[in-house]
Amino acid sequence: LVCIERLTASGPPSLPRARAIVREYRNRWGDGLSLSDIARATAEDFKVPMGELYSSSHRRQAARARQACYYLARKLLLEPYKTIGRHFGGRNHSTVVLAVRKLERDRELKSRVRRIEEALAAIRSA
């Protein structure tokens, strides 16, 4: 979403400019930030064991934490859904897509995810 906003704000969109914006965004977040970093920060915030993020636990808190991980991985690292699903316990890409969409509609969870994102940004810039 951030990349699309930047692309449309700077005049008529073009493929080279879109690639440059996405590359810049990935460089900003991608250097030093990994799926494991996202999992660690999310597990800490949700107070769930790291193992539950990768397991098939149906505990509500663990499921919500996994959704947050999927969302952050997609937003910050622009990872493909398939890669995210594979990392978090071999889940199908459609599971990740559904979870990301569900989180986008959940205001309470989305505000919590913003706090995790800010914490990750602070860690990264330190």
Side-chain angles (χ1 to χ4, degrees):
L1 187 60
V2 173
C3 293
I4 292 171
E5 289 171 354
R6 286 210 39 223
L7 181 63
T8 56
S10 60
S14 71
L15 186 57
R17 203 166 70 246
R19 285 184 177 145
I21 289 169
V22 168
R23 188 172 34 258
E24 176 188 327
Y25 185 81
R26 285 191 76 154
N27 287 340
R28 189 179 84 188
W29 278 104
D31 291 343
L33 187 65
S34 69
L35 289 167
S36 297
D37 295 330
I38 290 171
R40 198 172 305 105
T42 304
E44 184 178 305
D45 187 81
F46 279 83
K47 296 178 181 24
V48 298
M50 283 281 289
E52 284 196 34
L53 295 178
Y54 297 95
S55 74
S56 57
S57 171
H58 293 293
R59 238 175 31 97
R60 181 175 172 81
Q61 197 68 349
R64 290 171 65 87
R66 266 194 305 276
Q67 288 175 353
C69 287
Y70 301 159
Y71 178 85
L72 288 167
R74 184 70 180 157
K75 181 178 181 188
L76 302 179
L77 301 178
L78 301 175
E79 288 288 350
Y81 294 114
K82 185 177 181 178
T83 302
I84 297 167
R86 207 175 319 131
H87 180 81
F88 288 99
R91 289 175 171 76
N92 190 297
H93 80 280
S94 60
T95 301
V96 178
V97 171
L98 182 64
V100 168
R101 288 182 183 161
K102 186 175 181 181
L103 187 140
E104 288 172 345
R105 294 187 307 265
D106 186 334
R107 284 189 180 142
E108 178 187 329
L109 187 55
K110 201 167 183 182
S111 68
R112 189 171 191 176
V113 168
R114 274 192 214 106
R115 287 193 309 268
I116 297 168
E117 184 178 350
E118 290 167 6
L120 286 167
I123 289 168
R124 195 177 164 279
S125 64

